[in-house]
Amino acid sequence: MAPNVLLVVSDDMGWNDVSFHGSEIQTPFLDSLALGANSVHLQNYYGQSICTPARSSILTGRYASHTGMQHSYWIQGEAGGLPLHFPTLANHFRAAGYSTHMVGKWHLGFESWDFSPLGRGFDSFFGYLGGGEDYLTHKSGGFVDLMSDKSAVLDAEGQYSTELFANRSIDVIHAHAHAAASESRPLFLYLAMQAIHSPLQAPAEWVEHYAWLTDTRRRTLAAMTSCLDAQLSRVVGALRMTGLWDNTVFAFSADNGGPPYVANSNWPMRGGKWTSWEGGTHLVGFVHAPTALPAPHKNFTGLMHQCDWVPTLLGAAGVTVLNDTASPPMDGLNLWPYLVDPADMNGTRTSVLLNVDPTNQGTAPHDPHGWSGYAGIRMGQFKLVLGDPGVPNSWCWPNQNGSVAALGQPVWPPAVHGPQLKGRVEGQPSHAECTVRQGSCFPGNDIASVAANSTSACCDACWAEPTCKAWTFHPDEAKCWIKRIEATPKLDAACVSGTMDARPPVPPPEPCAATEYSICTCAYNGTVPNNRMAPLLFDLDADPRETTNLAPSPTHADTLAALRAALQIYIDSAVTPLNMLPAERRADPRSNPTARNRTYWAPWSTSAVRDEL
């Protein structure tokens, strides 16, 4: 039987908001999947930098500049939506005989039911149609935005959405398992969580686990993330309980980079949400399949884009893409053959488009506060952006200044998370306490290597050297490398790394030193620059933090020309953004719930009146 497919999207999750990337925020369940057996971590996974463009790409297999969704998020009550002639991933799976269900955030327009999930290939929908809301009241703009199929849900106030959406997903799984005995239909579940998008709200019991973080915003975001981790554990637990898990492909993706001005971190990458910097477009992602992927954990270093999910997940299911005649054609590539090959780390993709958005290319900016570069592409190790990549444009250190040693360690519910990741793994008494990171290596910056047979020995060796801040232990080599600074970790199943809790982390370098940018900030206060076509070229292998613009260098003239030519193809094929003009980024007056005697948001048009491409 074809495999079940569970696609999970986390909203506004930054690269440094998960512990398998070295964050202080603990996500042990996601760690166990991303770093465990039968998993592929997507090391160079890219996507759009904000919500609506990202979701259009994930579901259609097309770059957002080919669907008209590339400029901005869809306003609550804005007319139209994702053009109807583009089939979605759910359409493809339903045509192949799958039972298709969606839970969570839609954010692709809901003028009529044709634009809603129920009109885009999903058999059922439970979630909200807009882009953001209160986690407990489920209100946006004073009105409830929570639907079960075509009925408003008005009795869920007080239920935290992360748990609410997990509960609904579990119900879908159990109902499917009960029906599967007679129907023998595989399951496709698209779970688009509200977490960890603002507003910053978390259950008190989760906030308490992060009392040692003194920045209240980062503390709440950490609590939201760990709660998400626990609820996803429950969802997978339901798949295990019903016997569906062994035949399931589990895909996890952030929709875009995290917004540092809220409380997220994309460290050590530059920038964040709304930008063409790595922090906005280089995303968290992995795939886990208990039986479909080879057992050894794999770091896939090849390029992947959000638009690849459609053909890749269909490829994993052995499903043929249905007759898709929409123009422009699908941009996504089927990377499944390369993900399942233990020896292939690079795949077949040679470039990823970051975006093409002509909104502000004229003399009068149509959206003066929505600038994030005109166009951009990564090809091989090089990245080109035309126009300022946007703000935030700095290297934003996490919003926290607490010391674990001084303020205490978080306590994790053993029933959900298993053994905590803090402290000495072997439990031997010692004055040295370290934070342990399974499956990661700290490269370079070595003080020395010493013989060691345990993480405890590494921790003690680091403590004994006053300049040591971090260490990496290789069990196979019985050695420990102790280091002066906590370097950017690289995932490697053979490694265990750690940092000294009793010593404060090394602060980041001065963020704007030796750059050509007069404004360098972790806030969002950008405007359209005067020069909207200036090229910025970066060698991401040599300069992953995007500190040095190589475009003026004669040495890189040929590289610049090659990337310009590749990008020009996408500039020429881009369509006009559907909400480029200010009048198009406003709520349709007919959508107002009060005008329709409602207390909730819902479609307001009876037919598909807009499909402009």
Side-chain angles (χ1 to χ4, degrees), residues 440-463:
S440 66
C441 298
F442 287 133
N445 310 304
D446 295 344
I447 298 172
S449 62
V450 298
N453 58 10
S454 68
T455 56
S456 295
C458 270
C459 188
D460 289 338
C462 188
W463 180 267

Side-chain angles (χ1 to χ4, degrees), residues 397-519:
W397 195 243
N399 291 319
Q400 57 95 3
N401 58 1
S403 165
V404 177
L407 298 174
Q409 299 175 4
V411 179
W412 301 100
V416 175
H417 293 288
Q420 63 187 24
L421 299 181
K422 293 281 182 182
R424 299 169 57 78
V425 173
E426 290 78 13
Q428 301 170 2
S430 170
H431 58 277
E433 292 293 336
C434 296
T435 296
V436 177
R437 300 179 182 182
Q438 302 283 347
S440 66
C441 298
F442 287 133
N445 310 304
D446 295 344
I447 298 172
S449 62
V450 298
N453 58 10
S454 68
T455 56
S456 295
C458 270
C459 188
D460 289 338
C462 188
W463 180 267
E465 168 53 57
T467 62
C468 179
K469 296 293 192 297
W471 49 267
T472 289
F473 173 53
H474 290 267
D476 294 341
E477 301 181 32
K479 281 187 178 181
C480 175
W481 281 260
I482 55 177
K483 305 168 185 298
R484 289 184 178 87
I485 67 172
E486 179 182 340
T488 303
K490 292 186 177 180
L491 298 182
D492 188 326
C495 294
V496 181
S497 294
T499 54
M500 296 302 305
D501 290 342
R503 296 173 184 161
V506 178
E510 289 297 323
C512 297
T515 73
E516 62 191 75
Y517 301 98
S518 59
I519 298 175

